[in-house]
Structures are given as structure tokens and as C-alpha cells.
Amino acid sequence: GAARCAACSGANFGADLRAEHHIQRLGTTHMEPVLRVTSASATPGTVRRGHGLHVQISTDLRRQAAPLSALRITLVGPALAGQRAAIRVLAPTLLPFRLTHVRGAHTLSARSSTTTDLDFTLGAKQLSHAALFSLVDTAVEAGDPVFLIELLCECDGTGTMPLAQIPTRASLIRASLS
């Protein structure tokens, strides 16, 4: 249901929604992610005044010791529910979106089993806070469906792997931003 789970307190928008069987089939690669996420939160970005979404992801387990690179983010499932047709048509051509300036990426690029937390800002120059809140509010009003935020990476020349998967709802992201 739409109720938040007990583990989703404070600013954490990464809900424990894995009990909903369909969420496990949403990932783009159908593989277990490299990192196990313990929490994810978002705040309005500060790189450029009034723009961006700052995301912080905490992890406690790294399942792959190989060097990882080329970090990207995508949305899987009905994340764009209720959005204008232009957004729904354009989004698949832009996703997965390359991530730059990711704090924690250096640790991932080493051949190591060391876990790391990730920290980055999406839309630092072009996504206004007003547009961000409008997108989130529209998705909530459209039924607040469960969707997956998936970080992808390249693994030491062996191909694309899921780095982290965060099942969530727009309402949880909105609560994290408040």
C-alpha cells in the first residue's frame, strides 16, 4: 500500500518495498546490485542557486571487487506518472543519464571490496527547484506509484551492471526534500 514502512523515517526516500514482488523485476539488468543501499536522501541542490537535486546514498556491502566506472542513473517503472506527454516521450531518450562529480566514485574505481557512500547532484544547472517540486507533486497526484531509481556502472570491461537500486515513491522523495 501507500503507507510508509517503519524503516522509512526522516529524510530516507529509499523505501523497503522489496516485498512487493514486481519491484524486483523492474531493474534493467535483472542482476543483484553491486552495492546494498541502507538509506537514500535528497535535498534541494546548492551547486547553482535554486537548481538541482542533491542525492546521498549510504551503503554497507559491496558485492563486486572489480573496478567500476561510467556511473549512470535511470528510472524504471512508472516514475513519470501523470507528467506531460512531452516529458514521458523525451525521458527515455535521455536515460540512463551519465553521472559526473560523484563523491565515492574514486573508491568504486579501485579493485577493492571497500563499500562507499555516494553523493551527487542531478540537474545542478538546468533543473530548477520549482520544476523539481512540480514533477514530484504531479507523480504523487497521479497515484504515487512505486518505481525504481537505478544506478548503473561498467564493470572492468565485462559490461553494464546495476550499482545500486532504490525502490521508492514520489511522496517519499517529496518528504525527503521537506
Side-chain angles (χ1 to χ4, degrees), residues 33-67:
V34 174
L35 299 175
R36 183 172 61 196
V37 174
T38 57
S39 71
S41 63
T43 56
T46 59
V47 173
R48 177 178 172 210
R49 186 179 199 159
H51 288 76
L53 175 69
H54 184 79
V55 178
Q56 297 166 317
I57 301 170
S58 297
T59 68
D60 70 351
L61 176 69
R62 180 171 173 174
R63 295 179 180 97
Q64 179 68 254

Side-chain angles (χ1 to χ4, degrees), residues 11 22 29 37 56 63 70 90 93-94 101 109 115 127 167 169 172:
H22 66 278
T29 63
V37 174
Q56 297 166 317
R63 295 179 180 97
L90 187 58
T93 65
L94 299 174
H101 308 293
S109 68
T115 189
L127 178 62
R169 297 177 185 275
L172 296 174

